[in-house]
Amino acid sequence: MSALRRPTLPLGERPPLLQMQAVDKVFGGTVVALKDMNLVVNQGDFISLLGPSGCGKSTALRIISDLLHPTRGKVIWEGDHGIGDLGVVFQEPTLMPWATVAQNVWLPYRLRGKTYNTVKDEVLEALRLVGLENFLNAYPRELSGGMKMRVSIARAMVTNPRLILMDEPFAALDEITRHKLNNDLLRLKDKIGCTVIFVTHSVFESVFLSDRIVVMAARPGRVLQELRVDAPYPRGEEFRTSAEYAAHTRAASGALKEAMGELA
Amino acid sequence: MTIAENRPLPVAEALDEDEARRARARRVEGIAKWALPVVMMVLAIAGWAWVVAANDIPHYILPGPGRVWTSLVEDWGMLLDAAYLTGWITLLALLLAVVGGAGLAILFNQSKMLELSFYPYAVILQVTPVVSIAPLIFIYVDSKIAGMLLCAWIVAFFPVLSSTTLGLNSVDHNLRDLFRIYGASRWQKLRYLQLPSALPYFLGGLKIAGGLSLIGAVVAELVAGTGGIGSGLAFRIQEAGYRLNIARMFAALSLVAAMGVFIFAALSIFSHLLLRKWHESALKREG
């Protein structure tokens, strides 16, 4: 994966990666989880799906990852789309407790029939990127919550996928760890140039991480508006304390309030 | 008062009051774990000997422990042969229970139709007391050994089947999604996800099946009534009962109990070895 850094072009110049076209998802014939969702994801985007509970953020991710089929509409990938195009990070680290860190990261390759030795370098590199190269043989139970999440991120990145889906990955972590992992995630994205769709409840997290924030509302789940955060990467502590960050946070908070208001 | 105040510690300032108390409790518990059962047994045997001597109970009603010990020594050759047979039936039945129970669980897991078709019959087989099935089995099965194996298997396979089935269905749903996203085949999902997830459940069922296969073997022997060469411990108990050789009954019984304890201990160690690195049940926590 190390050799394959994809360049990230400025917003507006990026070629499309996938499109959700007029996607509806209805559960049990009555519950409209997602209504007419249109989203163009471009190569190199860091998109946050921001919204209250029940707005269909996770449903959208599940449809993109083909775990759910849309009731109407479709998801179209640019070019050939196959296994290995996707990396996924869930809210829980979702590691196999019986396998070591290295075996967990090896999993996406293992399921494609690759032996450990043929992909050892990739596994090592992914673990080095998340700072866990010294924990190859540790079992998940020996790691802290933040470290487990890093392993999960390494597993999502190891095949250098075209798109990484993250479903509230840091929601269960404490504030300090969350802060640190946000910084690390941006560093990683800068290194490998991946495309990310990131589901979150947190305005601060979405502004800090993403260049596009898609604000969603509930009942029915739908896209309310899209905000752009055009601050350049890499972003660090100075961005967190800047007036620009505060302005974006205010805008995102306003949009979220609107989304919540509609709910009430 | 703490240990830290009384004597120097190997590591300076290592233990505070809590730690010292915990260390002392651990040490006491470590000794008590072995010492208490031994003391209880010695007391029980002494009490038994006293009751027999004080009341002058005849040995064909209740022999004293000395007499049981003598019987154990004198009949050792015969009892050992009997234990050998019972042990073999038990082990083979357990092995078949593992293969049959886990195999059926995997088949049921792979095909809902198979599960719907056969699971109720597995339950019926389990809930019908083996004592009532055994006489029928010995009518239709010529070989006594095969009949005994079948009896023991019927009792032992169900816990393996039900706990493995539960384990195979208890896979973390996010991991299941992950395997789907990565395009895992049915075989890969079974091999890398479901079987390891089911392992702790399977081992729980195995421990129960170990005890049950001994019960099954004993019941089968009692029903089969094998005589002459190839008679197991249960048959020896029955035979000694007919002869009012109560001491030998006790001696054979103690061997059956020892066998049960051995099976349980061996399976517990086996289970610990397989799970010690990762499973919650094998972890020690502070505090």
Side-chain angles (χ1 to χ4, degrees):
Chain A
M1 61 174 280
S2 49
L4 286 170
R5 188 194 182 282
R6 300 190 181 95
T8 301
L9 299 168
L11 271 171
E13 293 173 32
R14 299 173 186 168
L17 178 67
L18 79 88
Q19 296 185 42
M20 293 178 81
Q21 289 184 344
V23 169
D24 288 358
K25 181 66 193 177
V26 184
F27 288 113
T30 48
V31 182
V32 184
L34 215 51
K35 178 93 186 123
D36 193 30
M37 178 156 181
N38 291 288
L39 181 69
V40 178
V41 180
N42 302 309
Q43 278 175 36
D45 281 352
F46 196 123
I47 299 177
S48 283
L49 301 183
L50 175 68
S53 300
C55 70
K57 306 177 298 257
S58 296
T59 305
L61 281 203
R62 291 176 72 79
I63 288 174
I64 292 173
S65 57
D66 218 17
L67 289 172
L68 284 178
H69 295 128
T71 309
R72 276 174 291 277
K74 54 191 167 184
V75 176
I76 303 165
W77 285 77
E78 289 296 320
D80 289 336
H81 166 58
I83 301 159
D85 279 353
L86 264 186
V88 188
V89 182
F90 298 96
Q91 183 169 349
E92 302 296 325
T94 314
L95 303 177
M96 300 177 291
W98 53 84
T100 61
V101 165
Q103 286 168 338
N104 267 292
V105 177
W106 169 36
L107 181 74
Y109 279 123
R110 190 183 204 182
L111 295 178
R112 285 149 83 179
K114 304 215 172 183
T115 60
Y116 183 71
N117 280 333
T118 56
V119 293
K120 201 171 158 192
D121 292 344
E122 281 84 349
V123 170
L124 268 175
E125 174 67 12
L127 282 170
R128 195 170 303 131
L129 281 172
V130 296
L132 288 178
E133 68 272 28
N134 295 325
F135 291 85
L136 283 180
N137 297 317
Y139 283 84
R141 69 170 176 90
E142 299 169 65
L143 308 178
S144 67
M147 287 160 97
K148 282 184 206 162
M149 197 41 92
R150 285 167 197 272
V151 178
S152 188
I153 293 172
R155 178 180 62 195
M157 296 185 322
V158 70
T159 56
N160 195 25
R162 291 162 82 192
L163 178 61
I164 295 181
L165 305 178
M166 306 182 93
D167 192 356
E168 300 190 52
F170 309 140
L173 298 175
D174 64 90
E175 192 62 24
I176 296 170
T177 311
R178 186 176 185 161
H179 222 73
K180 187 157 170 24
L181 281 177
N182 278 338
N183 291 339
D184 291 351
L185 182 60
L186 283 192
R187 201 169 37 78
L188 277 177
K189 180 178 155 38
D190 186 51
K191 269 195 185 144
I192 64 173
C194 52
T195 308
V196 180
I197 301 181
F198 189 97
V199 166
T200 181
H201 276 111
S202 161
V203 168
F204 305 103
E205 197 168 54
S206 67
V207 171
F208 181 71
L209 291 174
S210 41
D211 43 20
R212 294 170 61 193
I213 301 175
V214 174
V215 183
M216 297 179 74
R219 294 184 201 161
R222 66 203 182 281
V223 174
L224 207 63
Q225 59 174 298
E226 183 178 326
L227 308 170
R228 292 199 165 191
V229 183
D230 42 19
Y233 294 100
R235 296 171 185 171
E237 285 312 310
E238 67 291 348
F239 177 59
R240 267 207 182 95
T241 48
S242 67
E244 194 183 6
Y245 176 78
H248 284 300
T249 308
R250 233 183 341 266
S253 288
L256 186 60
K257 201 176 278 173
E258 199 179 319
M260 303 280 280
E262 287 198 8
L263 188 70
Chain B
M1 186 191 79
T2 65
I3 291 172
E5 286 163 6
N6 291 340
R7 60 185 175 83
L9 287 162
V11 183
E13 87 272 324
L15 296 187
D16 61 23
E17 205 164 321
D18 276 351
E19 294 271 334
R21 202 178 46 232
R22 219 173 285 147
R24 199 170 45 206
R26 259 202 306 270
R27 232 180 3 252
V28 169
E29 201 185 305
I31 297 167
K33 203 162 102 182
W34 297 104
L36 284 183
V38 170
V39 168
M40 288 311 292
M41 180 172 267
V42 169
L43 283 178
I45 291 174
W48 171 15
W50 179 81
V51 166
V52 171
N55 297 298
D56 213 10
I57 301 176
H59 68 83
Y60 51 85
I61 306 272
L62 179 65
R67 206 175 258 273
V68 171
W69 176 253
T70 312
S71 166
L72 193 63
V73 174
E74 281 175 0
D75 300 335
W76 182 246
M78 181 188 70
L79 289 176
L80 198 65
D81 281 349
Y84 190 70
L85 178 75
T86 305
W88 263 115
I89 298 286
T90 304
L91 273 187
L92 273 179
L94 182 60
L95 197 71
L96 290 176
V98 167
V99 174
L104 271 180
I106 291 170
L107 276 181
F108 286 176
N109 181 263
Q110 295 297 301
S111 161
K112 195 75 195 162
M113 293 299 143
L114 269 184
E115 184 181 354
L116 290 175
S117 308
F118 290 109
Y119 196 78
Y121 297 101
V123 175
I124 290 172
L125 206 56
Q126 165 68 18
V127 295
T128 312
V130 72
V131 192
S132 56
I133 311 177
L136 272 178
I137 289 176
F138 285 105
I139 291 176
Y140 299 115
V141 180
D142 285 337
S143 156
K144 290 222 158 150
I145 298 284
M148 290 200 289
L149 268 181
L150 193 57
C151 284
W153 179 80
I154 287 175
V155 195
F157 92 98
F158 192 76
V160 179
L161 169 67
S162 66
S163 50
T164 311
T165 302
L166 181 65
L168 290 170
N169 292 330
S170 303
V171 171
D172 178 297
H173 64 100
N174 279 335
L175 272 174
R176 199 188 292 261
D177 284 350
L178 193 74
F179 271 64
R180 258 181 76 189
I181 290 170
Y182 287 136
S185 66
R186 187 181 266 247
W187 164 247
Q188 285 176 322
K189 201 174 108 187
L190 180 68
R191 165 81 182 77
Y192 299 130
L193 181 60
Q194 289 181 294
L195 289 181
S197 293
L199 186 65
Y201 295 85
F202 163 77
L203 290 170
L206 183 66
K207 262 194 236 175
I208 299 172
L212 285 182
S213 55
L214 181 61
I215 293 175
V218 164
V219 168
E221 273 181 35
L222 292 180
V223 176
T226 330
I229 300 165
S231 306
L233 280 175
F235 177 76
R236 289 294 172 208
I237 292 176
Q238 207 173 26
E239 186 198 33
Y242 293 147
R243 297 175 185 210
L244 290 183
N245 188 348
I246 313 295
R248 192 192 285 170
M249 283 179 90
F250 273 99
L253 185 64
S254 65
L255 281 186
V256 174
M259 207 179 276
V261 170
F262 173 77
I263 292 170
F264 183 80
L267 291 177
S268 297
I269 292 170
F270 178 65
S271 168
H272 179 75
L273 288 179
L274 285 181
L275 301 181
R276 78 198 143 106
K277 284 195 172 163
W278 63 273
H279 196 254
E280 282 294 331
S281 66
L283 304 185
K284 283 207 166 64
R285 293 196 187 284
E286 284 299 311

